[in-house]
Amino acid sequence: MSAMIKPLALTLLLGGASMAAANGTPDNVSSRLQVQVPKELFKSDGYDHREALFGNPPYGGSIAQNVYYTDTNLCDSTRIDKSTGYPSRSTDPKTNRQEEWPSPFILMANRGTCSFVQKARNAQHAGAAGLLIADNICLCSDLECMASLSTNDDTNCQSTEPIMADDGSGGDVTIPTFLMFKQDADKIIGKVKDTDSIVQVEMSWSLPHPDSKVQYELWTVPSEDVSKDFQKDWKDVAVKMGDKLYFTPRQYVYDGVKTRCRNDGRNMCFNLCTNEGRYCATDPDNDLEHGISGADVVKESLRRICIWNVHGESDGLGTTYWDYIAEFVTRCDSDDFFANEDCVKDAFKHAKIDKKRIDACMVDSGGLDTGVNNLLEKEIDAASRKGVVVLPTMFVNSAPLRGALTTTTVFNAVCAGFAEGSEPSICSKCYGCSDMGQCVKKGVCKSYNGQGNGGGGGNGNGGGVSKKFFGMTLLMVCCVFGAAGYWHWRKTREEMRDQVRGILAEYMPLEGGDEGGLNMGQSPMDFARKGQSASLIS
């Protein structure tokens, strides 16, 4: 049985991915690529490109710098020579070589040899602010590009667009990366390499601003690990934003009919699917006979859909939903407890969820045994219309969010999605903050990471400390110096008094005296002790 299930599982995974790819990557990209210099390369609509699914784009901001093209493949960090490449620079008299790429700059390199993540990481280590990857193969559907090829050129065209996905190691990559199609990339390379000219490119990011409310949705499955930290930590931010946000959680479910897991009314993928093979998920632990099954993932997906419908759909905030996610991840996210009903009951109890209402929702939608489930059908249809390819995927105002799915990245993107002047106050306080979590909780940012107010209405200093913290520190310093000055003045005054008393005690006549001197029967020390209260002049 195991030998039969494994190829079916592979068919399910590849079949689902090919269907998503056939629908095409969503073209409502949130970025824009434009050549500012020279003028002849400027395009009013910008250059067609594709964004990497890793890195941290500065939503609401832009990067406009000179482009330097390197003819190395950027695959070996030890062989990257910053004194090479195009356009040429002046010679450094100390090394007798070209000057290194002057920072800040955007680096451009050819596609191939290693992964997109590896190229971006090495470009980042070389000091690049952004990376442009030049595609070296034409799309078969790009007639202009195909026509430009030599008749003797045996290069094969590619039938589908390349997807710059994260290979699993891109968490340390922060710079943005764009892929340029061959026809456009060749123009820029020719300009900097053949004519030795300066080319300035602008990479910019913006999100649609439909109104004063931002709508965002997260496509995921209960078994994936990438978004778990975000889902555990996002509740505090959502509560601070209040009714300014409307969230929709989405569960990605494979269509068993299209992937042929359902054939002649039978489930051909066994424990990967429910409802006689209609709704399926991949096996998260790659053990089809033990641990978590695909059917377990589908069941948990349906449960989360119902929890949102009962506790979150009305206001778009869903604090109870976020509580359940945090409880489930903490208590049940393991092979032994993922499908354990007692563990789920415990998570319900701590999240204060009425289990009967959720169970009723799951049954009323069609259940998981036979027939059609209305809620799961809606998820399949929505995924098809969105063209979801990679999980997890976040959409903000219908635009796909690129880069690492972290609380900070989503927060900055959401704040950039508000119409100008309509963003909540927490965006003004915490946009670009290096410790965004603490800023949301306390309402004060102690330091910024350099993004400043890139579009979310940040504090505007782009770095350093907040005004309130600086003012309090300055006040404390003034108080300390004031107290020290007062103490020094008192001490000096007492020392002067002691000196005067000593002089009077030594030189004052010991006998008799005029009316202005010592009174009869009064010792010189008594006179001295009066200090400034006694006059030395009659």
Side-chain angles (χ1 to χ4, degrees), residues 88-151:
S88 60
R89 284 87 65 199
S90 58
T91 302
D92 187 344
K94 296 181 179 179
T95 61
N96 202 30
R97 305 184 67 185
Q98 284 191 118
E99 293 181 349
E100 295 184 350
W101 305 319
S103 296
F105 62 91
I106 294 175
L107 194 60
M108 189 172 191
N110 290 326
R111 175 188 175 191
T113 308
C114 62
S115 68
F116 294 117
V117 172
Q118 183 69 16
K119 290 178 182 290
R121 179 182 294 110
N122 289 333
Q124 177 176 302
H125 291 168
L131 174 64
L132 298 178
I133 295 180
D135 202 352
N136 47 18
I137 304 176
C138 291
L139 284 172
C140 297
S141 58
D142 190 343
L143 300 181
E144 182 183 358
C145 183
M146 295 297 294
S148 67
L149 298 178
S150 171
T151 55

Side-chain angles (χ1 to χ4, degrees), residues 394-416:
M394 174 75 76
F395 289 87
V396 179
N397 287 346
S398 298
L401 177 64
R402 308 300 184 187
L405 188 63
T406 64
T407 302
T408 300
T409 302
V410 176
F411 176 84
N412 290 341
V414 165
C415 287

